[in-house]
Amino acid sequence: MSSSVAVCIIHGIGRQPADFAEGMMQALMERCQPLCGDGLVMETVHWAPVTQAAEDTLWRRLQQGGPLNYSAIRRFLIDFLADAAAYQIAPGDRQTYDAVHAVFASTLRRLAQRAGPTAPLIVIAHSLGSIIASNYLYDLQVAPARDLIAPSVRAQMADTPLERGETLCSLFTLGSPIAFWSLRFSDFGMPISVPSPRLSQHYHFLPGEWVNIYDRDDVLAFPLRTLNSAYATAVSADCEIDSGGLLERWNPLSHLAYWRDDEVIERIAARLIATWRYLNPGAGGITSAV
């Protein structure tokens, strides 16, 4: 029986349906299944419901103040920008932050149950989801020296290496605004470690990488390796692509098109296959970095 790779996919800002990653997952399986069979286990972090109810209530209350010009644009901005505002920790209030992280924790628990408690973890994160993934994985990496995981989040966790973030081997950030968030910290902050510092306790020499994929026309996305020396070390590559089709690749709509972009799919699929082959050398795999 072959070993499995755990794949966690997290969405970004805006109204997101529960099947937001269905197209990407299907495309990845089409490329990987001939080699990996059923050795990829995918789960999504669908955190949108955490903020959507409050945003709907906010919009109803704002409308009670009288007519507003550009109401469609205003509603769009609430759906998109309010997610980022709501996720921030406020003095004495981290309810939304912890609720979003609880969804992340429950997703990793499902992955541990389906793929195995020590399965290598690959995270694919879009837009604000890259901030959430970075924050949550950072909180895991600094524990227990600094206990940043709330009790409500720990309630969603079992005590497995995967759920503790120890088996994180690769991270793909798509259209990431991490550069914006870095302004909160001195010299633009410290990135998470990819692979996890504890990965070698479970797998020796497992290939991994942090690939940051962005489109120069996507006004929310930036390269990361130039932020500081720590990011230059942590991020394996900043990959510039033309995201989307003819209507998107030349303008800011490219931010919404990473999910179905062939170049994105091919880059991620190559890493999934390499990781699976490392785990299953008897099935034509390899045991050295690629």
Side-chain angles (χ1 to χ4, degrees):
M1 182 176 180
S2 64
S3 300
S4 297
V5 178
V7 184
C8 177
I9 307 175
I10 179 169
H11 67 75
I13 52 181
R15 290 177 177 265
Q16 300 286 344
D19 62 350
F20 70 91
E22 193 65 30
M24 170 176 273
M25 290 192 293
Q26 182 176 347
L28 288 172
M29 289 305 298
E30 288 175 355
R31 286 162 174 78
C32 298
Q33 198 163 34
L35 289 170
C36 305
D38 297 325
L40 303 180
V41 178
M42 302 185 187
E43 290 282 353
T44 61
V45 182
H46 183 225
W47 57 268
V50 172
T51 57
Q52 195 60 59
E55 290 166 9
D56 291 342
T57 300
L58 174 63
W59 179 241
R60 287 195 299 270
R61 293 184 182 182
L62 293 174
Q63 287 180 304
Q64 293 172 7
L68 295 169
N69 293 335
Y70 308 108
S71 60
I73 296 176
R74 290 175 186 270
R75 180 68 225 229
F76 174 85
L77 290 175
I78 286 177
D79 285 337
F80 275 75
L81 299 183
D83 280 342
Y87 175 67
Q88 297 306 299
I89 296 177
D93 185 356
R94 49 183 289 165
Q95 179 177 352
T96 300
Y97 183 89
D98 290 337
V100 170
H101 285 196
V103 178
F104 206 131
S106 65
T107 302
L108 294 187
R109 185 168 190 172
R110 293 195 304 273
L111 280 171
Q113 292 169 343
R114 294 182 59 209
T118 61
L121 174 64
I122 294 178
V123 176
I124 305 167
H126 175 245
S127 187
L128 181 59
S130 68
I131 306 283
I132 294 169
S134 176
N135 285 346
Y136 186 63
L137 294 169
Y138 176 86
D139 290 355
L140 290 175
Q141 288 184 359
V142 301
R146 294 173 57 199
D147 192 358
L148 301 178
I149 307 295
S152 60
V153 179
R154 291 200 178 278
Q156 301 298 320
M157 300 171 62
D159 191 23
T160 68
L162 189 155
E163 293 171 80
R164 295 194 298 267
E166 295 177 5
T167 64
L168 172 70
C169 60
S170 292
L171 170 65
F172 291 88
T173 48
L174 316 177
S176 176
I178 283 178
F180 287 144
W181 261 252
S182 70
L183 284 167
R184 302 170 60 207
F185 306 102
S186 174
D187 193 31
F188 308 113
M190 290 292 295
I192 62 171
S193 296
V194 183
S196 162
R198 296 182 179 272
L199 180 66
S200 61
Q201 297 179 8
H202 307 281
Y203 302 99
H204 293 293
F205 310 115
L206 174 60
E209 59 184 351
W210 177 352
V211 179
N212 178 55
I213 300 175
Y214 71 100
D215 188 312
R216 69 169 63 186
D217 297 306
D218 176 1
V219 297
L220 296 178
F222 297 88
L224 297 179
R225 300 190 77 248
T226 55
L227 286 176
N228 57 37
S229 59
Y231 273 95
T233 299
V235 180
S236 307
D238 286 315
C239 291
E240 182 193 338
I241 67 165
D242 283 324
S243 175
L246 293 176
L247 297 178
E248 302 149 323
R249 61 195 319 151
W250 53 272
N251 62 63
L253 288 176
S254 58
H255 184 72
L256 305 175
Y258 295 95
W259 296 117
R260 58 186 184 275
D261 186 88
D262 286 340
E263 192 172 351
V264 173
I265 298 297
E266 292 294 343
R267 182 66 187 254
I268 296 174
R271 177 49 57 195
L272 295 178
I273 292 169
T275 305
W276 184 87
R277 282 177 168 169
Y278 172 91
L279 295 177
N280 301 279
I286 57 175
T287 57
S288 60
V290 296

